[in-house]
Amino acid sequence: SNINLSCKEQGISVEWMSQICQYVVRDLEKYGICVVDNFMGKDRAEAIYRSVVSMYSSGVFVEGETVSSSLDTSKKVRSDKITWVDGSENNCVNIAHLISTVDTIIMNSIRMKGNGQLGQRTIGGRTKAMIACYPGSGAHYVKHVDNPNRDGRCITTTYYCNKDWDAKTTGGLLRIFPQGWANQVVDIEPILDRMVFFWSDRRNPHEVQPAFRTRYAITVWYFDAKEREEARIRFNRECAVRKNETK
Ligand SMILES: Cc1cc(NC(=O)CCC(=O)O)nc(C)c1Br
Ligand SMILES: [Fe+3]
C-alpha cells in the first residue's frame, strides 16, 4: 500500500509509523492531545536545532504580529519571532524530513478512521512550517485558541528542538487548558525531539509561559477540507460585500 511506499521512501520503519498513528488516533479521540517523544531521533533532532539556530542568527525571523506597540515585552500579546519554511530552503533538509514525517502520520491516522472525530475528517492540505523563536527574557504567548472561528485548521502539530531544556529554571511551558476537563491543565515542556498534536479549535486553549532561554518551536497546521472550503466561500463573499461597499 502507499503507506509502506512513503515509509520506505522516507526511511521510516512501517512498524514505528503504525505505532505512532495508533497513539495519535487514540489520544486525539480520548484527550484531544497527543505527545510523542524521540520523534525524529537524537541526531536528526540536534541537526534541526542547529538549523533553526543558524536561521535565527541569519536574521530571517520577523516579529510575530504584535497587538500592543509597547516595547515592554510583558505587555505584548506575544513576543515570538517567526519565519515560514516549506523545507526547500537551504539548511532545511532535516525540517523537510520532519514535515514529510508528520504528513505521513496525519494521512495514515485519518485513513485509520478512528470511529470518533478523525473518522469524519478529511485532511485537505496544510500550512507551511512556522518556526517560532521565543528570544528568552520572559518572552511568552498569552492564552489563545488557534482556530476559534472555523478557519479550516483542525490539527496543530508543534515540534520542539530545544537542547537541554529545563523548565524548572527556564520556564517556557506550553500549557493547554483542555475544554471539558474542569480545571485540569496539561503542562508540556518544550524539550528536544518532542512532538505535540492537538485539535486546533476551542477544545484546546493554550499559552506559552514566559521563557528565560531562547525557545524554538516548529508548527504545522492541517486543514479539514470541508471546513477550509466553507471558510474560503465565506471569505470570498465578505470580499464581494466589501467591494460593493467601497464603490
Ligand atoms: C503564530 C502562532 C503560534 C502559536 N503557537 C502557540 O500557541 C505555542 C506553541 C508553542 O510554541 O508551544 N499559536 C498561534 C495561534 C499562532 Br497565530
Ligand atoms: Fe497557538
Side-chain angles (χ1 to χ4, degrees):
S1 73
N2 56 7
I3 297 180
N4 300 355
L5 180 69
S6 66
C7 286
K8 223 176 276 356
E9 272 167 8
Q10 298 172 48
I12 300 172
S13 93
V14 178
E15 298 71 27
W16 178 83
M17 176 54 65
S18 63
Q19 190 70 38
I20 299 296
C21 290
Q22 282 167 45
Y23 289 154
V24 169
V25 170
R26 179 197 66 192
D27 289 3
L28 275 186
E29 304 296 347
K30 208 165 161 198
Y31 309 112
I33 302 166
C34 176
V35 180
V36 179
D37 278 334
N38 307 312
F39 189 68
M40 298 298 283
K42 193 167 181 304
D43 297 348
R44 215 184 267 276
E46 293 189 345
I48 291 174
Y49 178 65
R50 287 194 298 275
S51 300
V52 298
V53 169
S54 79
M55 285 168 79
Y56 188 66
S57 52
S58 70
V60 293
F61 282 60
V62 295
E63 288 275 311
E65 75 269 5
T66 43
V67 176
S68 62
S69 55
S70 74
L71 296 180
D72 162 7
T73 53
S74 65
K75 288 202 188 61
K76 278 189 178 170
V77 169
R78 51 188 289 206
S79 29
D80 55 335
K81 295 189 178 8
I82 60 172
T83 188
W84 290 90
V85 299
D86 60 18
S88 65
E89 297 80 357
N90 64 349
N91 202 352
C92 284
V93 63
N94 287 299
I95 294 172
H97 193 271
L98 169 68
I99 296 170
S100 60
T101 304
V102 184
D103 281 350
T104 310
I105 289 169
I106 295 294
M107 297 328 287
N108 294 339
S109 300
I110 294 293
R111 197 174 289 118
M112 285 168 74
K113 293 284 176 208
N115 54 5
Q117 297 276 340
L118 272 179
Q120 279 88 41
R121 299 281 193 172
T122 308
I123 294 293
R126 59 163 165 78
T127 65
K128 285 184 173 183
M130 182 197 69
I131 309 176
C133 172
Y134 291 74
S137 67
H140 66 291
Y141 196 137
V142 294
K143 187 174 172 181
H144 66 277
V145 169
D146 283 2
N147 173 13
N149 306 314
R150 294 183 63 76
D151 66 20
R153 288 178 292 170
C154 79
I155 302 176
T156 302
T157 69
T158 297
Y159 177 76
Y160 300 110
C161 51
N162 302 298
K163 223 163 134 39
D164 307 325
W165 189 272
D166 169 22
K168 279 180 288 309
T169 54
T170 45
L173 285 179
L174 167 67
R175 172 166 285 183
I176 306 180
F177 305 77
Q179 197 185 43
W181 279 65
N183 48 7
Q184 295 279 322
V185 294
V186 175
D187 282 348
I188 298 169
E189 296 192 27
I191 60 170
L192 185 79
D193 210 14
R194 172 167 284 176
M195 188 73 200
V196 184
F197 302 81
F198 58 90
W199 298 121
S200 310
D201 61 19
R202 291 169 187 267
R203 283 171 288 181
N204 287 316
H206 55 280
E207 66 186 12
V208 176
Q209 299 193 331
F212 297 96
R213 208 196 92 185
T214 307
R215 174 193 190 277
Y216 294 97
I218 303 174
T219 298
V220 178
W221 283 279
Y222 287 82
F223 292 118
D224 170 276
K226 203 162 62 61
E227 184 179 316
R228 185 70 175 157
E229 187 45 33
E230 288 160 1
R232 200 192 308 278
I233 292 168
R234 260 199 330 274
F235 178 75
N236 293 338
R237 194 178 306 127
E238 278 152 18
C239 279
V241 166
R242 242 197 305 279
K243 230 187 270 126
N244 291 339
E245 276 161 3
T246 50
K247 267 186 196 123

